């Protein structure tokens, strides 16, 4: 799959407009950080690592806008840009991780804004490259868990489109297939935004990886029927006591446990927030219309009835078999020992 986001040679941010997939593969190009912030909010780009890189590139655009200001004014304007980007989506830690990483450069180099701008643009580009390297390592580590003939269930889209390229949850599948193993994917449709049906199915078909889409309510039955061997999902934030991911992940984990099916979470270290616990995390609540209207169009709920639309849930570690990071595969205890 082609990269979901790049920094162009004209110093613009170019991204796939994921709201149009799978019908149209079209691109958006921005030279204003405010537009990047909006694109994160309305989910032209989505997925924890991808929005982290988008935020870093947004910060880089802001430096271009403000680089001719005196240092003090530059800092004020950059604070404002960081706040606008931080206030786009609350749950994925990568967004905050990325902005903090950019901010460290501002803190570390008491340089003039023009030089800072160059450094920050380079850092944002580096973060995009690193994302792919990290995902390939997750792929290599996770592929060891997969056997020839496995059918892997995934929820939402934690693939190439949710990162810069290659994906997190889909990385072990891609690598195992590159190694010659025969692997099939089952993708939950992932109501209400349908990232599984629209995006996971799109990118796997694009790369000729066998995939079947199921309604979210089917995975328990397929597990009981022995048609799923393993589950791999991505994550938006890993705290010391739970894994946050797309709404519905917890139910998949419960069903996997009940059927003795391994449940793995692919997590780049940029998604680890182990100094936090469940109570520190804001679960994004999105507009009621995402649930009441199919893809914002046909209304399926009686007029006047409001819907609850939590975008993420948390899965306790007792349901998680292992966490796949770029450094290896870890149990809960090992994860805390290594990274906390
Ligand atoms: O609301 P989204 O589409 O941004 O949610 C995405 C997910 O929940 C992904 O599983 C998660 O961000 C991991 S992406 C590698």
């Amino acid at each position: 799959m082609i990269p979901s986001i790049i920094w162009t040679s004209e110093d613009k941010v170019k991204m796939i407009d994921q709201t149009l997939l799978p019908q149209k593969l079209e691109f958006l190009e921005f030279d204003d950080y405010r537009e990047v912030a909006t694109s994160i909010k309305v989910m032209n780009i989505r997925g924890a690592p991808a929005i982290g890189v988008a935020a870093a590139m947004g910060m880089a655009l802001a430096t271009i806008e403000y680089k001719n200001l005196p240092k003090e004014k530059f800092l004020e304007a950059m604070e404002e840009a960081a706040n606008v980007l931080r206030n786009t989506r609350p749950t994925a830690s990568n967004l905050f991780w990325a902005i903090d990483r950019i901010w460290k450069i501002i803190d570390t180099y008491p340089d003039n804004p023009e030089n800072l701008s160059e450094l920050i643009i380079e850092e944002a580009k580096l973060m995009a490259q690193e994302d792919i390297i990290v995902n390939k390592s997750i792929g290599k580590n996770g592929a060891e868990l997969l056997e020839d003939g496995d059918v892997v269930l995934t929820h939402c889209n934690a693939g190439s489109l949710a990162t810069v390229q290659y994906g997190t949850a889909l990385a072990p599948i891609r690598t195992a297939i590159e190694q010659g193993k025969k692997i099939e994917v089952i993708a939950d449709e992932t109501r209400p935004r349908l990232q599984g049906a629209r995006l996971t199915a799109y990118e796997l078909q694009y790369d000729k990886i066998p995939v079947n889409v199921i309604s979210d309510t089917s995975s328990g039955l397929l597990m009981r029927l022995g048609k799923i061997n393993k589950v791999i999902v991505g994550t938006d934030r890993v705290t010391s006591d739970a894994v946050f991911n797309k709404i519905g992940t917890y139910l998949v984990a419960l069903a996997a446990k009940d059927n003795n099916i391994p449940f793995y979470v692919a997590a780049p270290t940029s998604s680890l927030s182990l100094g936090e616990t469940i109570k520190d995390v804001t679960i994004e609540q999105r507009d009621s219309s995402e649930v009441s209207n199919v893809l914002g169009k046909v209304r399926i709920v009686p007029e006047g009835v409001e819907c609850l639309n939590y975008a993420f849930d948390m899965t306790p570690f007792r349901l998680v078999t292992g966490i796949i990071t770029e450094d290896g595969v870890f149990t809960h205890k090992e994860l805390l020992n290594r990274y906390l």
Side-chain angles (χ1 to χ4, degrees):
M1 187 68 211
I2 52 174
S4 66
I5 181 165
I6 58 164
W7 184 269
T8 72
S9 49
E10 292 85 37
D11 284 341
K12 290 188 179 158
V13 176
K14 184 173 174 183
M15 60 177 72
I16 297 177
D17 184 353
Q18 299 190 28
T19 62
L20 301 180
L21 290 173
Q23 281 83 9
K24 288 186 209 152
L25 178 60
E26 283 183 11
F27 298 85
L28 295 165
E29 234 177 71
F30 302 122
D31 57 9
D32 186 326
Y33 79 84
R34 298 163 195 83
E35 293 170 327
V36 174
T38 304
S39 74
I40 296 172
K41 210 173 190 135
V42 304
M43 295 173 68
N44 299 117
I45 187 158
R46 31 64 53 202
I51 62 175
V53 171
M57 290 185 176
M59 290 290 281
L61 287 181
T63 67
I64 296 175
E65 181 175 338
Y66 298 131
K67 68 182 176 188
N68 295 322
L69 294 177
K71 181 85 189 261
E72 212 152 281
K73 292 267 176 241
F74 172 82
L75 287 179
E76 267 172 36
M78 287 304 294
E79 279 278 8
E80 168 65 13
N83 280 341
V84 169
L85 288 159
R86 272 198 189 98
N87 282 321
T88 49
R89 298 194 70 189
T91 307
S93 53
N94 309 59
L95 182 78
F96 307 98
W97 169 88
I99 295 170
D100 289 348
R101 183 164 154 177
I102 295 293
W103 204 265
K104 264 196 201 108
I105 298 182
I106 299 178
D107 279 342
T108 315
Y109 300 96
D111 219 334
N112 68 53
E114 202 155 344
N115 291 352
L116 270 175
S117 177
E118 273 169 35
L119 288 173
I120 288 170
I121 291 170
E122 285 316 307
E123 186 75 358
K125 289 202 251 182
L126 179 69
M127 286 162 78
Q129 285 165 11
E130 278 179 12
D131 175 82
I132 303 171
I133 294 167
V134 161
N135 296 340
K136 295 241 162 131
S137 298
I138 289 175
K140 193 163 164 280
N141 296 330
E144 287 173 26
L145 304 166
L146 297 180
E147 289 158 57
D148 192 36
D150 271 351
V151 179
V152 182
L153 175 77
T154 192
H155 188 72
C156 193
N157 171 259
S160 186
L161 288 162
T163 59
V164 176
Q165 209 171 15
Y166 209 71
T168 59
L170 297 190
I173 294 162
R174 290 180 183 281
T175 307
I177 290 173
E178 284 157 24
Q179 292 168 345
K181 293 177 195 164
K182 187 177 162 290
I183 309 286
E184 286 178 25
V185 179
I186 294 187
D188 279 341
E189 61 173 346
T190 320
R191 280 272 293 154
R193 298 281 303 213
L194 303 173
Q195 289 94 328
R198 297 190 303 108
L199 307 177
T200 298
Y202 179 85
E203 68 167 79
L204 291 178
Q205 185 188 52
Y206 189 103
D207 288 328
K208 302 187 171 46
I209 295 174
V211 58
N212 284 297
V213 174
I214 57 171
S215 62
D216 291 325
T217 40
S218 304
S219 56
L221 172 71
L222 292 185
M223 288 181 196
R224 288 207 83 81
L225 294 177
K227 292 186 185 295
I228 291 168
N229 306 97
K230 275 156 201 153
V231 180
I232 310 181
V233 297
T235 180
D236 291 83
R237 188 184 295 232
V238 181
T239 58
S240 63
D241 47 358
V243 170
F244 287 76
N245 193 45
K246 180 54 55 196
I247 192 82
T249 303
Y250 173 47
L251 291 178
V252 173
L254 281 170
K257 185 78 173 178
D258 195 43
N259 288 281
N260 289 319
I261 291 170
F263 178 93
Y264 295 106
V265 177
T269 48
S270 54
S271 299
L272 302 183
S273 217
L274 298 173
E276 293 182 315
T277 61
I278 288 172
K279 64 176 176 11
D280 298 313
V281 183
T282 304
I283 295 189
E284 179 180 12
Q285 282 183 266
R286 296 185 64 87
D287 202 89
S288 165
S289 65
E290 289 184 352
V291 175
S292 61
N293 295 49
V294 177
L295 286 181
K297 294 183 185 114
V298 184
R299 188 168 172 104
I300 53 172
V301 175
E303 286 295 343
V305 174
E306 279 294 309
C307 299
L308 303 177
N309 188 12
Y310 289 89
F312 300 96
D313 63 20
M314 55 264 187
T315 299
F317 274 101
R318 65 187 161 77
L319 303 177
V320 178
T321 313
I323 313 281
I324 311 163
T325 77
E326 61 267 37
D327 303 315
V329 182
F330 304 102
T331 62
H332 180 208
K333 204 168 153 211
E334 288 166 344
L335 190 82
L336 295 180
N337 282 341
R338 178 160 183 138
Y339 296 110
L340 192 59

